Amino acid sequence: MTLRVTGLKVYYRTLRGDVRALDDVTFGVEDGEIMGVAGESGCGKSTLGKSLIRLDGRMRYVEGRVDLDYKELPIWDDADMNDFRYKEVSLIPQYAMSALNPTRKIGLMVRDLLESRGIPFDTVSAELERRLGLVGLDREVLGRYPIELSGGMKQRAVMVLATLLNPSLLIADEITSALDVSTQRAVAEALVGFRDNGFVDSLIVITHDISLVYQIADTIMVMYAGKLAEKAPTDVLVNSPRHPYTQLLISSLPEVGVRYEGKRLSGIPGSPPALLNPPSGCRFRDRCPVAFDKCGEEPPFVEIGPDHFAACWRAS
Amino acid sequence: MRRYFARKLLIYLLTFFVAVTINWMIPRFMPGDPIESMLTRAGVRTPESAEAMREYFNSLFGLDTPILEQYFSFWSGLLRGDLGLSLWLFPQEVTTVILNAVPYTLALLIPAILLSYWAGNRFGAYAARRKVMDNAVLPVWYVLTATPYMWLAILLAWSLGIVAGFFPVAGGYSFLLAPSFSFEFIASLIAHWFLPFLSLFLVAFGGWAIGMRNLIIYELESDYSNYLRALGAPGKLVRDYAYRNARLPQITGLALQLGVIVGGAVVTEIVFSYPGLGYLVLKAIESGDFFLLQGVFLFIVIGVLVANFIVDIVYVLVDPRTRVGMGGTDA
Amino acid sequence: MIIPDETGRPDESPISEPTPVVAAVPGIGGVPGAVRVIRREAVYFALRNKKLVGGLTVVLVFLLVGLFGPVFTGPDPLAYVGPPAQAPSGEYWFGTTTFGQDVFGQFAHGLRATFFVGFFAGLLAAVLGMLVGFTAGYRGGLVDEVLNMITNIVLVLPVLAVLLIIAAYLEVRSVQVQALIIGVFSWPWVARAVRAQTLTLRAREFVDLARLSGAPVRRIVFREIAPNMASYLFMVFILLFGGAVLFAATLDFIGLGPTDGISLGLMLNYSVKWSALHLGLWWWFIPPGLGITAIVGALYIMNVGLDEVFNPKLREM
């Protein structure tokens, strides 16, 4: 499948005004691509993920266009969007461990969900059990209540549920944040397995952990303060980033095998601007070590190399 | 599950034990002499009859025997179903007087509890989903639940009963009729029953509706609800799940509110002179009939405990997790 | 009566997560400053919350009437001051009773009793519930089991029935005793809720830090746990206040109220006893009931407002 997002703006309504969480975002995802979306808290990556499947209470679609396989997704219309949910676009949420109804056996809940979407349970039950086996879950999990499963097991169950109908696009939102390292690896590998086995066409993996997406993503897109900072194939982004923010992010990662005394970890001093009334011009300006006059004018997100985009006057 | 019921039964037995002990202890350890006060209230005139009554009371209370013996004889009397003789309706047995009144109280309580619970849950659930309705009815429900039971009873009695004259406001049935299975008698029963029932129903309804509304809102905003919606589940499925989950704490709430509603029935009966346990309470207090009062107290306690136990059973039936050995209310 | 929230929301805490600024400063020294941050924000929203301000205003109006009314109406509410059974007029704002007593005077005096009982019974129940809940939640083990059993027993006891029995045997009843017995039986749901909160907070990092540093239990409870629950405890007190007012009115109505003086419930009792309904003396029974309903209703609405103030997620858009 192909995804094209053009000029997407999604704001949050608050008592004090609109928080411009996602402010004019344009990018594309190709068939079979795993794209990682990275950035610090509040950069808009979760908002982006949610916008593509379901705007929740406080979110407000402002403008922009999302095309899935050349069909426009009516993300502003909750009812129309329902035809696409789960079947074309699916989600593994950040709260996967509490995403299951605590008072319903898992198998019954899946059945209820499928039947309510017009899919007879029997047509997929065999496949469901097969996939559970693939992630290491026994089929008797379906006869259990969520409270009887461990966090990791619930996570995997939700992953299987989310991909059961072979969606074109799967959004994985911070799904490894609450896990220990070895489980993180298992989950990451499972994601890749979904793509390789054809259960999903393309993946958007949202995380604040660049080292995770480095392992599994084909492309990485870095966001900052509601805007896109840089997007490039993984190797290129990690080894030769051009946006100062990306550069600082990468350099603040600890390297394997290097002791702290040998090379200090550098953070990025300061914090992102508040998105209630964001400053004009480049939003990274105040923290950027190489900012200059022109940064008062907002840099466009342009191609600076083969498949390599950045929003920075210095980079282009 | 067995553990769950065993724990509950233990608590109820202990509670009964504590209630009976309190009941026994109070007159014996209160400042002042209960017998003296009973005598004064009974308005006994001559010293001879006062002496006779005092002796009678002493033997009834067993105050001439050692304390421990008094305690055990109290229990043995209780377990035999002997609650003594009523002073107000002397020489009727307390048990008889109470059993005559219980059907009236149950006739008020059971429909009022069931109907207010059911209606409160339904309307609370509606309000949780429709903001317009919510804004309109929520204040009304708050007012209802803040209304003291007896005041609503007074208002209804005065407005619908006396001013408008639609319903009678005293007694269980018309004083002109003798009990029989005739249509006229039954109609009279219902006419006298309606206002007290309505009063109980309305106040309780407000509380349930607010509770359910809040619970449903909580469920509709939970992670599992959000996820179902993200996967395109229709509103009906999300609402069904929310409703089923919200029912559980509501059932727990029912157990907690039983004592309150019984209290409401007591005062409502007083307002309407409805011949149930509440009316007995009033008469017992007015005439200093401590035996009757004690008897009513014990009856109320037993009734509430039994009702609690029934609610516990219902909870187990409704929460599927308890059958697998976990979940359920705090024991 | 309102069903307390905790029975319905086992996991939900009305306490918002500490802001990142606060969480970065755990430990004994940090919490008071953190509490100040939370309080400042809370005050800002509190002043703007219509329910909170509205409810509080209603309660304050009645409080003022109760405090200052009797100064104008005279010290004895049961005195015979005028012609009997008069409808409200310029002279007697709430009319007179069948005995010629000033209904407004009774109302104002009655409010004093109402507020007294509500406040002290609520306070007693709050303190008892907190003590039992904290101890059970913090200590755990056998202490927890025993306290739990006690809580459950008092919880199941029908409060009104118990109050009936106790009050009936008392020769002389005062407002203080009434407050005492109501308070002594109203705490169980508080204990349960406080215990649940304590269990959650006990497992949080900043408490572990305090324990590691060797701080005594009392200090941990007061400096670490309590400030986080302060908002919740305040809401609990308001509910207890309202509940106590209702209980007191009910007791008074049955005839087991204070043997001296007047109260709103007692006014209702008298009005019914002396056939106010049949005689159409609506000014005798409407004000007291209306007063109770208004005060309790205002308290409940205040509570909803407070919940919105302390729990940002509930604030409407």
Side-chain angles (χ1 to χ4, degrees):
Chain A
M1 75 100 222
T2 49
L3 178 77
R4 294 276 173 270
V5 175
T6 321
L8 185 59
K9 287 187 189 173
V10 174
Y11 297 169
Y12 281 89
R13 277 173 293 199
T14 70
L15 287 169
R16 302 188 221 197
D18 281 340
V19 172
R20 303 161 73 143
L22 201 62
D23 215 353
D24 198 0
V25 162
T26 304
F27 66 93
V29 178
E30 305 303 321
D31 193 28
E33 181 179 340
I34 297 182
M35 181 175 87
V37 181
E40 55 191 289
S41 292
C43 69
K45 54 192 196 301
S46 261
T47 311
L48 175 60
K50 284 191 207 155
S51 309
L52 294 175
I53 187 163
R54 180 176 170 253
L55 298 176
D56 78 37
R58 314 259 156 98
M59 291 164 72
R60 186 171 76 90
Y61 164 84
V62 179
E63 65 183 48
R65 193 187 163 98
V66 176
D67 292 283
L68 187 69
D69 287 332
Y70 311 110
K71 271 181 309 187
E72 183 168 14
L73 280 187
I75 58 174
W76 56 86
D77 188 321
D78 195 62
D80 289 343
M81 193 56 194
N82 234 30
D83 298 328
F84 298 90
R85 289 184 184 125
Y86 198 24
K87 297 176 180 171
E88 310 272 353
V89 185
S90 191
L91 171 75
I92 304 175
Q94 195 165 1
Y95 48 83
M97 295 201 213
S98 50
L100 301 168
N101 185 353
T103 62
R104 200 111 173 99
K105 288 189 184 165
I106 295 178
L108 284 179
M109 185 217 125
V110 175
R111 174 191 286 266
D112 289 340
L113 176 61
L114 290 171
E115 307 269 346
S116 77
R117 304 247 39 212
I119 298 159
F121 183 67
D122 306 319
T123 56
V124 293
S125 68
E127 182 65 16
L128 173 63
E129 290 180 14
R130 184 175 86 88
R131 295 197 187 182
L132 284 173
L134 284 179
V135 294
L137 289 174
D138 192 281
R139 57 191 279 252
E140 58 117 37
V141 149
L142 292 177
R144 298 217 168 276
Y145 292 98
I147 194 171
E148 296 178 75
L149 304 182
S150 73
M153 291 167 81
K154 281 187 278 195
Q155 178 100 1
R156 279 176 279 160
V158 170
M159 286 169 73
V160 167
L161 173 65
T163 52
L164 192 57
L165 300 183
N166 294 343
S168 304
L169 175 65
L170 176 67
I171 303 164
D173 190 356
E174 302 270 17
I175 63 177
T176 56
S177 306
L179 302 173
D180 62 275
V181 187
S182 39
T183 318
Q184 281 187 13
R185 178 192 175 135
V187 165
E189 287 178 348
L191 281 183
V192 180
F194 287 156
R195 192 267 314 263
D196 295 341
N197 280 322
F199 299 160
V200 304
D201 287 343
S202 316
L203 271 143
I204 293 182
V205 180
I206 300 173
T207 179
H208 55 258
D209 186 356
I210 291 199
S211 46
L212 171 78
V213 281
Y214 176 65
Q215 307 287 329
I216 61 172
D218 304 317
T219 317
I220 299 181
M221 186 166 81
V222 175
M223 289 184 68
Y224 184 78
K227 292 201 172 284
L228 298 182
E230 188 166 4
K231 176 174 182 280
T234 308
D235 293 332
V236 172
L237 190 106
V238 173
N239 294 319
S240 39
R242 299 278 290 277
H243 192 290
Y245 177 62
T246 321
Q247 290 168 350
L248 288 170
L249 266 187
I250 304 287
S251 69
S252 66
L253 289 174
E255 285 178 44
V256 176
V258 176
R259 296 168 67 101
Y260 184 65
E261 293 96 27
K263 179 175 172 209
R264 306 208 77 172
L265 280 178
S266 54
I268 311 177
S271 54
L275 295 178
L276 195 55
N277 273 317
S280 58
C282 175
R283 293 186 180 175
F284 189 57
R285 192 165 29 133
D286 295 332
R287 299 166 85 187
C288 184
V290 297
F292 65 114
D293 303 329
K294 192 145 193 222
C295 301
E297 189 187 321
E298 190 176 317
F301 190 65
V302 291
E303 195 160 4
I304 56 171
D307 256 351
H308 188 165
F309 300 78
C312 179
W313 297 119
R314 289 282 188 204
S316 49
Chain B
M1 187 163 77
R2 208 169 296 158
R3 224 179 84 94
Y4 170 74
F5 280 123
R7 255 195 104 103
K8 289 283 175 181
L9 273 174
L10 178 65
I11 290 176
Y12 295 146
L13 285 174
L14 280 179
T15 309
F16 183 63
F17 184 77
V18 167
V20 170
T21 307
I22 289 181
N23 197 357
W24 174 83
M25 263 180 21
I26 301 257
R28 286 165 180 79
F29 292 104
M30 275 290 148
D33 183 358
I35 302 212
E36 270 311 312
S37 74
M38 284 168 82
L39 286 178
T40 357
R41 275 190 236 210
V44 176
R45 268 159 264 250
T46 65
E48 296 87 30
S49 27
E51 240 340 280
M53 290 209 78
R54 188 173 292 116
E55 269 185 42
Y56 173 64
F57 282 144
N58 265 326
S59 66
L60 274 184
F61 270 109
L63 289 179
D64 38 1
T65 57
I67 280 263
L68 222 52
E69 201 181 308
Q70 289 179 41
Y71 189 57
F72 284 123
S73 68
F74 188 77
W75 267 105
S76 73
L78 186 65
L79 293 170
R80 272 181 284 125
D82 174 12
L83 293 170
L85 301 177
S86 160
L87 293 176
W88 170 50
L89 290 180
F90 195 85
Q92 281 189 52
E93 281 194 13
V94 167
T95 321
T96 320
V97 176
I98 290 180
L99 286 177
N100 281 334
V102 162
Y104 286 100
T105 303
L106 286 181
L108 282 186
L109 275 179
I110 294 183
I113 292 177
L114 292 179
L115 216 63
S116 67
Y117 186 74
W118 176 84
N121 280 356
R122 284 265 154 226
F123 283 92
Y126 286 150
R129 286 155 32 206
R130 298 193 180 97
K131 196 97 176 95
V132 176
M133 176 180 173
D134 193 36
N135 287 335
V137 296
L138 198 60
V140 173
W141 291 341
Y142 270 105
V143 168
L144 275 180
T145 195
T147 307
Y149 278 100
M150 62 265 186
W151 193 56
L152 187 61
I154 290 175
L155 285 180
L156 285 177
W158 177 63
S159 59
L160 291 180
I162 295 178
V163 172
F166 291 151
F167 295 98
V169 294
Y173 50 86
S174 168
F175 296 122
L176 304 171
L177 298 175
S180 63
F181 274 113
S182 67
F183 178 73
E184 201 186 359
F185 182 70
I186 294 187
S188 179
L189 269 180
I190 294 180
H192 281 81
W193 165 89
F194 185 72
L195 282 186
F197 158 76
L198 184 66
S199 177
L200 273 179
F201 168 81
L202 284 175
V203 178
F205 167 77
W208 295 128
I210 293 176
M212 193 59 166
R213 170 208 176 258
N214 290 341
L215 288 171
I216 296 264
I217 288 181
Y218 176 71
E219 294 295 323
L220 288 178
E221 290 173 357
S222 65
D223 285 341
Y224 73 84
S225 285
N226 275 324
Y227 192 49
L228 280 175
R229 288 194 212 110
L231 294 187
K236 186 162 187 327
L237 181 64
V238 178
R239 283 195 297 271
D240 277 348
Y241 277 9
Y243 194 80
R244 263 197 242 146
N245 285 5
R247 270 189 327 181
L248 301 177
Q250 276 287 74
I251 294 179
T252 312
L254 180 59
L256 293 173
Q257 289 288 299
L258 283 171
V260 175
I261 293 184
V262 167
V266 165
V267 288
T268 305
E269 285 176 9
I270 291 177
V271 170
F272 286 98
S273 302
Y274 196 73
L277 291 179
Y279 187 70
L280 291 185
V281 164
L282 182 71
K283 288 303 169 194
I285 291 173
E286 280 177 0
S287 42
D289 187 352
F290 286 114
F291 299 109
L292 183 59
L293 194 62
Q294 281 183 15
V296 174
F297 169 71
L298 287 174
F299 243 85
I300 291 180
V301 170
I302 294 177
V304 169
L305 290 178
V306 166
N308 262 297
F309 192 66
I310 294 176
V311 171
D312 290 334
I313 296 178
V314 171
Y315 190 92
V316 168
L317 293 175
V318 172
D319 186 349
R321 295 172 294 178
T322 51
R323 271 162 270 160
V324 197
M326 89 296 290
T329 54
D330 278 346
Chain C
M1 213 168 109
I2 292 276
I3 300 161
D5 273 293
E6 280 326 288
T7 59
R9 306 188 197 180
D11 302 319
E12 169 132 312
S13 157
I15 305 156
S16 24
E17 286 291 323
T19 63
V21 171
V22 172
V25 194
I28 302 173
V31 173
V35 174
R36 246 173 272 136
V37 170
I38 299 174
R39 287 224 187 97
R40 238 180 288 133
E41 192 189 71
V43 169
Y44 170 83
F45 279 108
L47 293 175
R48 277 158 187 72
N49 188 299
K50 279 186 265 185
K51 295 181 183 120
L52 181 55
V53 171
L56 190 59
T57 311
V58 170
V59 174
L60 284 179
V61 163
F62 280 103
L63 182 61
L64 288 174
V65 171
L67 282 177
F68 297 113
V71 173
F72 297 104
T73 63
D76 185 7
L78 299 171
Y80 305 124
V81 294
Q86 293 290 301
S89 62
E91 202 183 346
Y92 301 109
W93 292 351
F94 284 1
T96 61
T97 69
T98 50
F99 304 109
Q101 298 157 324
D102 181 12
V103 175
F104 183 76
Q106 293 192 340
F107 183 74
H109 280 271
L111 280 177
R112 284 188 173 186
T114 302
F115 276 99
F116 184 92
V117 175
F119 182 79
F120 283 105
L123 190 63
L124 179 60
V127 167
L128 281 176
M130 283 187 241
L131 279 176
V132 172
F134 271 141
T135 317
Y138 194 74
R139 286 299 180 84
L142 186 63
V143 172
D144 188 15
E145 287 284 329
V146 169
L147 286 177
N148 252 0
M149 196 58 80
I150 296 178
T151 305
N152 281 319
I153 290 176
V154 182
L155 187 64
V156 178
L157 279 176
V159 178
L160 190 71
V162 177
L163 294 178
L164 273 183
I165 277 289
I166 296 179
Y169 279 113
L170 288 172
E171 289 273 323
V172 177
R173 293 180 294 267
S174 62
V175 196
Q176 290 86 340
V177 170
Q178 191 183 52
L180 176 69
I181 58 179
I182 292 179
V184 160
F185 286 100
S186 302
W187 55 266
W189 66 266
V190 181
R192 249 207 206 173
V194 168
R195 173 180 174 273
Q197 299 276 9
T198 309
L199 284 176
T200 326
L201 285 173
R202 181 175 76 160
R204 294 266 278 274
E205 311 77 40
F206 56 90
V207 176
D208 284 338
L209 216 60
R211 258 206 237 121
L212 278 177
S213 67
V217 175
R218 198 182 55 244
R219 201 171 185 195
I220 296 182
V221 163
F222 282 115
R223 299 285 286 272
E224 308 288 331
I225 299 184
N228 273 298
M229 295 180 56
S231 53
Y232 179 69
L233 294 175
F234 193 58
M235 288 177 8
V236 160
F237 175 70
I238 292 186
L239 281 179
L240 284 173
F241 193 110
V245 166
L246 283 175
F247 268 129
T250 309
L251 271 182
D252 296 346
F253 177 73
I254 298 178
L256 293 174
T259 38
D260 273 328
I262 191 79
S263 74
L264 297 181
L266 204 49
M267 285 175 76
L268 286 174
N269 176 319
Y270 286 154
S271 63
V272 171
K273 195 191 270 191
W274 302 108
S275 314
L277 282 102
H278 292 273
L279 296 173
L281 306 180
W282 53 266
W283 53 89
W284 198 358
F285 54 82
I286 291 200
L290 196 57
I292 299 173
T293 309
I295 293 175
V296 175
L299 286 171
Y300 287 163
I301 306 253
M302 266 176 74
N303 225 12
V304 176
L306 270 177
D307 208 8
E308 287 173 2
V309 169
F310 289 128
N311 190 355
K313 276 189 274 183
L314 289 177
R315 287 183 209 142
E316 281 161 307
M317 282 291 124

